[in-house]
Amino acid sequence: MMRHLLCAAMGLALAGNALEAAENQVIRISTNHTDLVLQVAENGRLYQTYLGERLLHESDLKELDWAVHAASDGSVCKRGWEVYSGSGNEDFFEPALAVTHNDGNASTWLYYVSSSMKEVEGGTQTDIVLRDDAYPVEVTLHYVAYPEEDVIKTWSEIVHQEKKPVYLSAYASTMLYFNRGSYYLTEFTGDWAKEAQMSTGQLQPGKKIVDTKLGSRAAMHASPFFMVGLDQPASENQGDVLMGTLGWTGNFRFTFEVDNVGNLRVIPAINPYASVYPLERGEVFATPEFVFTYSTEGTGQGSRNLQNWMRKYQLKNGTGDRMTLLNNWENTAFNFNQELLAELMREAKDLGVDLFLLDDGWFGNKYPRKDDKAGLGDWEATQDKLPGGVPALIESAKQAGVKFGIWIEPEMVNPKSELFEKHPDWAIHYPNRERYYYRNQLVLDLSNPEVQDYVCGVVDKLMKENPELAYFKWDCNSPITNIYSPYLKERQGRLYIDHVRGVYNVMKRVHANYPDVTMMLCSGGGARCDYEALKYFDEFWCSDDTDPVERAYIQWGFSHFFPAKAMCAHVTSWNRASSVKFRTDMASMCKLGFDIGLDELSQDELAYCRAAVANWNRLKPAILEGSQYRLVSPYESNHMAVNYVSEDKASAVLFAYDIHPRYQEKLLAVRMQGLDPEKMYLVKEINLMPGVTSSLKANGKVYSGDYLMKVGLDVFGFQQMQSRVIEFVAQ
């Protein structure tokens, strides 16, 4: 009797023409190989009925039951996989949305109102409006499906018309559900100099949380992307896998919850830690974009989906060229002057790279930047170091025949700076406690529009004085410490969110003003690498760790979500036990750069580097624009191999690395992927040291793509830290 009474009460509350018109409506969000199917149930609410491989027949969609996978708990009404579940309803698991209303009520029940579709660049956007039946709270769910790339982008917008602010304590971008026998989460975690380290574990009943509370430089410990293997751990070339990433450079939280009957819900969101958000009447709260792909052919295909999509639709200048460069940091650190930099620019030209990049240490006069203890915020060239300022450096670069780029960290301030003396209220810091510092600096309060204007002004001033500046390395070295905003005052629940929105606003403005200036995103290495920021940056710095052995793992991890052209890798002096060839070959599988003094190199090593730069430039159609195939994992062997194939399959390149092979271990042939089986390919080993001839048996021979993919080549050896780069040219 109680079951019938409660269900009847729900039905009465939902009476209305909108419900009658919407009942059992099916909403299909599709790519060429994936279906996400939603259904409006008889209770007027929206449920996920399917997410998986695309269904062939439209008629099958209506056979999907919105409540078939509901938890078995003797509840009084049927419960299904609600698409955007609110806190306080009959669902007993983690919600997408939690709102405290003006009257203190903390429940939200969302009902379907309408949906619409429109064509957007590369795909179709579906917008679904949901509304609470008791409060003027509305949520719009947005989905953009990209058919060719098999990628779906989704986010939500929350708005209300209550008289006073409501308080949001949960605000997910979306919710996704799965019904499988088991689930395996692959995380990408680490710290400074060991970014994107991969680990996999089975999800058990209950919740697994992956989150960060660092505010800025937020991906330092946990990366904003993950993979979930369905029924088995995520595998490179087979099996079903969800690969997802959140476009948010601040605190994020991924919730993976296995319920009492073995269903999995995945909830990507801004982390609500210390962020109960007061939402004003009429203010729209837009969540970050969550981008995902569902692959039935393992993580390799999933990565190619995301890499291809990112180049086309997300990454700044994603289909454009990339410049090789010489950076001075590892060579000089803070110790340089105008004459030395001019000499290094001539070295850059001699090396054959496109650009010279001046790193940290060029600014500050009252508090010169001699180390990391002073000067941040005072973006004037140090007069005794650089009497001609930045204009003289650009002139030296022009004379040398290279472009010029410069390092900035405009979101940060040293307490020992003129900026902090003038505007202490612009920095995030406690008003009533002793301050503590990360790397001797504080984070500027980007929730403050005045501070946003200042940060934009840093770039504006440099560009107006130096319109030929071609490149910025934009760093972000500190998490948020001393967490209090002088600007927000009593509204501190907005700080973590409004600060990040301010960061994006600055990035957007700089991009709008200087769209053709190349921008590198850096955060003490790879601690800022989200898809949203990369709308405004051409590339990101994967790690300050340039040891080629460690880079094998770092670059392997990042490659699951980023194309090679977005990943900067430099040749440095880290790990001098390895050869310059090994270091250069490791960097060449990404966007190649150098950060080394050429006087350290022998004539043969310098000649090798020049040839490697020329080879990399020639192979850009494969490395930067082509499809990537991860062949041999450093996590599963003592070797690594990755190959790239150009879009027309006319050229390819294989990077093969012997990292730490064991004595007389069994060596297997490496089988290429992605070639045209009908084409014949000339095999040629490149990136050889002067005077060295290839020991590759296949060198100079012609093989079919079919042979190279089924039989493969013997490219590995027994020597520590050795490498091969092999080019394939269709005949």
Side-chain angles (χ1 to χ4, degrees):
M1 176 64 73
M2 180 62 70
R3 175 190 179 97
H4 294 300
L5 286 173
L6 287 174
C7 287
M10 284 179 57
L12 289 172
L14 298 172
N17 293 331
L19 172 59
E20 293 174 9
E23 186 176 331
N24 296 320
Q25 179 174 341
V26 173
I27 301 170
R28 185 181 194 181
I29 299 156
S30 298
T31 70
N32 285 352
H33 297 97
T34 302
D35 264 332
L36 172 60
V37 183
L38 315 178
Q39 184 184 51
V40 182
E42 58 265 24
N43 64 5
R45 288 154 68 186
L46 186 66
Y47 296 87
Q48 178 189 310
T49 57
Y50 181 79
L51 173 54
E53 191 170 6
R54 185 182 173 105
L55 300 171
L56 297 179
H57 303 289
E58 187 85 21
S59 59
D60 290 340
L61 302 181
K62 292 187 178 181
E63 298 302 315
L64 299 167
D65 186 344
W66 68 272
V68 72
H69 302 305
S72 175
D73 52 22
S75 60
V76 294
C77 290
K78 288 197 298 184
R79 289 192 292 106
W81 291 350
E82 190 165 11
V83 170
Y84 206 75
S85 179
S87 179
N89 66 21
E90 83 282 16
D91 188 289
F92 302 132
F93 299 96
E94 189 73 16
L97 177 66
V99 182
T100 301
H101 303 282
N102 286 178
D103 61 1
N105 193 316
S107 66
T108 301
W109 297 53
L110 296 174
Y111 297 94
Y112 176 84
V113 175
S114 64
S115 61
S116 60
M117 297 179 67
K118 62 182 179 182
E119 296 303 310
V120 296
E121 183 186 9
T124 302
Q125 180 168 325
T126 302
D127 302 317
I128 304 169
V129 179
L130 308 175
R131 190 176 295 146
D132 194 294
D133 64 328
Y135 295 91
V137 174
E138 188 172 280
V139 175
T140 303
L141 308 178
H142 303 278
Y143 301 86
V144 183
Y146 298 85
E148 295 299 321
E149 295 77 26
D150 284 314
V151 165
I152 296 174
K153 178 174 68 176
T154 178
W155 71 100
S156 61
E157 292 181 327
I158 305 159
V159 67
H160 76 94
Q161 299 300 329
E162 298 191 30
K163 293 180 180 180
K164 298 178 182 179
V166 301
Y167 290 86
L168 306 182
S169 53
Y171 23 76
S173 294
T174 194
M175 298 180 78
L176 301 176
Y177 298 84
F178 297 92
N179 176 35
R180 293 298 186 93
S182 56
Y183 315 94
Y184 297 84
L185 173 67
T186 298
E187 302 176 61
F188 298 79
T189 58
D191 202 342
W192 179 81
K194 54 179 182 179
E195 292 86 348
Q197 303 295 299
M198 297 173 62
S199 59
T200 300
Q202 184 173 355
L203 293 171
Q204 300 296 337
K207 284 191 292 188
K208 162 74 174 180
I209 303 291
V210 176
D211 71 351
T212 180
K213 303 179 179 70
L214 299 173
S216 184
R217 197 183 175 189
M220 184 165 64
H221 297 154
S223 300
F225 40 87
F226 65 85
M227 305 188 300
V228 175
L230 303 172
D231 293 321
Q232 64 180 38
S235 177
E236 188 69 29
N237 295 311
Q238 60 87 32
D240 295 357
V241 61
L242 171 75
M243 302 176 66
T245 181
L246 192 70
W248 189 249
T249 198
N251 296 340
F252 61 85
R253 182 175 72 177
F254 297 135
T255 302
F256 306 91
E257 185 169 23
V258 179
D259 69 19
N260 57 311
V261 293
N263 299 322
L264 172 67
R265 68 175 65 186
V266 177
I267 310 176
I270 296 173
N271 192 345
Y273 166 77
S275 299
V276 175
Y277 192 91
L279 186 67
E280 302 289 340
R281 179 177 183 174
E283 178 188 358
V284 177
F285 186 102
T287 68
E289 294 173 352
F290 176 66
V291 178
F292 72 92
T293 188
Y294 179 94
S295 170
T296 60
E297 300 176 45
T299 58
Q301 185 57 53
S303 292
R304 288 185 288 278
N305 292 346
L306 292 167
Q307 292 166 356
N308 192 26
W309 175 82
M310 195 176 191
R311 284 194 298 260
K312 289 182 180 179
Y313 306 115
Q314 193 81 0
L315 179 66
K316 177 178 177 281
N317 194 26
T319 58
D321 199 4
R322 293 295 185 269
M323 293 185 286
T324 53
L325 60 81
L326 176 65
N327 195 0
N328 71 300
W329 178 251
E330 294 288 342
N331 184 12
T332 70
F334 295 102
N335 303 313
F336 55 81
N337 56 33
Q338 194 165 303
E339 292 72 26
L340 176 57
L341 294 179
E343 175 59 32
L344 295 181
M345 293 174 200
R346 291 189 286 272
E347 289 188 3
K349 180 63 176 179
D350 186 39
L351 183 60
V353 297
D354 303 304
L355 178 135
F356 175 79
L357 173 60
L358 172 60
D359 214 290
D360 194 358
W362 60 269
F363 51 89
N365 284 293
K366 181 177 180 180
Y367 301 105
R369 184 73 167 175
K370 298 176 181 177
D371 50 36
D372 66 1
K373 296 183 173 71
L376 271 182
D378 302 341
W379 300 103
E380 296 282 351
T382 306
Q383 291 175 2
D384 59 353
K385 235 188 220 187
L386 305 172
V390 177
L393 298 176
I394 290 179
E395 182 59 32
S396 294
K398 288 171 66 176
Q399 291 176 6
V402 294
K403 295 181 179 181
F404 180 78
I406 202 164
W407 178 97
I408 56 174
E409 193 178 4
E411 301 165 54
M412 304 288 164
V413 65
N414 286 128
K416 195 173 182 180
S417 67
E418 292 184 78
L419 178 67
F420 190 75
E421 289 178 346
K422 187 182 296 185
H423 295 289
D425 57 312
W426 281 7
I428 296 172
H429 67 283
Y430 299 133
N432 57 352
R433 296 184 186 276
E434 182 180 352
R435 291 193 294 269
Y436 65 100
Y437 302 106
Y438 188 98
R439 206 185 172 191
N440 307 298
Q441 62 196 64
L442 295 170
V443 179
L444 290 175
D445 185 0
L446 271 295
S447 70
N448 184 340
E450 191 176 8
V451 179
Q452 295 175 34
D453 291 342
Y454 158 77
V455 175
C456 289
V458 172
V459 178
D460 286 338
K461 188 172 188 297
L462 282 165
M463 289 303 302
K464 286 174 182 176
E465 293 176 354
N466 310 281
E468 293 178 274
L469 250 177
Y471 189 103
F472 281 97
K473 180 180 179 180
W474 185 303
D475 215 337
C476 170
N477 278 303
S478 178
I480 296 179
T481 60
N482 309 277
I483 305 162
Y484 178 87
S485 164
Y487 170 74
L488 289 172
K489 297 183 173 65
E490 73 280 358
R491 299 174 299 158
Q492 296 301 312
R494 298 178 67 114
L495 173 56
Y496 278 126
I497 295 171
D498 285 0
H499 174 80
V500 173
R501 288 174 174 167
V503 170
Y504 287 142
N505 186 44
V506 167
M507 291 175 176
K508 188 181 300 184
R509 289 168 60 182
V510 169
H511 172 63
N513 291 335
Y514 312 102
D516 299 326
V517 176
T518 302
M519 308 288 287
M520 180 209 282
L521 185 61
C522 181
S523 188
R528 181 182 276 176
C529 53
D530 64 284
Y531 274 30
E532 182 67 21
L534 285 168
K535 289 179 179 178
Y536 315 111
F537 286 79
D538 304 69
E539 53 204 43
F540 74 98
W541 180 231
C542 299
S543 179
D544 283 345
D545 188 339
T546 51
D547 179 324
V549 172
E550 295 304 320
R551 270 291 181 140
Y553 297 90
I554 292 167
Q555 293 169 193
W556 183 271
F558 276 123
S559 74
H560 286 77
F561 287 87
F562 302 95
K565 70 182 342 175
M567 297 168 53
C568 295
H570 293 175
V571 182
T572 75
S573 297
W574 282 47
N575 192 347
R576 291 176 183 270
S578 65
S579 66
V580 168
K581 170 178 167 54
F582 186 71
R583 285 176 257 160
T584 304
D585 289 351
M586 187 63 71
S588 294
M589 65 170 281
C590 298
K591 203 232 71 171
L592 178 63
F594 290 79
D595 195 345
I596 193 170
L598 299 195
D599 56 358
E600 296 180 29
L601 305 179
S602 68
Q603 287 302 307
D604 280 352
E605 289 172 332
L606 182 57
Y608 163 82
C609 289
R610 292 192 192 108
V613 171
N615 287 334
W616 189 87
N617 282 322
R618 188 183 69 258
L619 290 166
K620 282 181 181 179
I623 299 171
L624 298 188
E625 311 300 335
S627 297
Q628 180 195 70
Y629 297 86
R630 291 183 297 268
L631 307 178
V632 179
S633 169
Y635 283 90
E636 298 171 3
S637 74
N638 301 314
H639 310 266
M640 184 170 85
V642 175
N643 81 265
Y644 298 89
V645 182
S646 65
E647 187 175 2
D648 61 5
K649 299 186 185 296
S651 67
V653 57
L654 169 65
F655 295 96
Y657 310 96
D658 300 313
I659 301 174
H660 291 303
R662 299 192 64 184
Y663 175 72
Q664 293 298 308
E665 65 172 285
K666 182 177 178 62
L667 300 178
L668 300 175
V670 171
R671 292 179 287 179
M672 296 282 287
Q673 293 184 31
L675 301 177
D676 184 336
E678 301 299 327
K679 279 186 166 65
M680 303 300 292
Y681 292 90
L682 172 66
V683 176
K684 181 182 179 182
E685 184 171 5
I686 60 173
N687 283 21
L688 293 167
M689 292 294 292
V692 174
T693 58
S694 174
S695 61
L696 183 71
K697 292 180 181 179
N699 190 52
K701 296 181 180 179
V702 175
Y703 297 88
S704 70
D706 184 63
Y707 177 93
L708 292 168
M709 291 190 291
K710 291 178 178 175
V711 179
L713 300 177
D714 294 317
V715 297
F716 290 142
F718 294 111
Q719 287 186 280
Q720 305 284 313
M721 293 181 289
Q722 298 296 307
S723 54
R724 291 186 192 271
V725 181
I726 302 168
E727 183 177 2
F728 302 80
V729 181
Q731 301 301 289

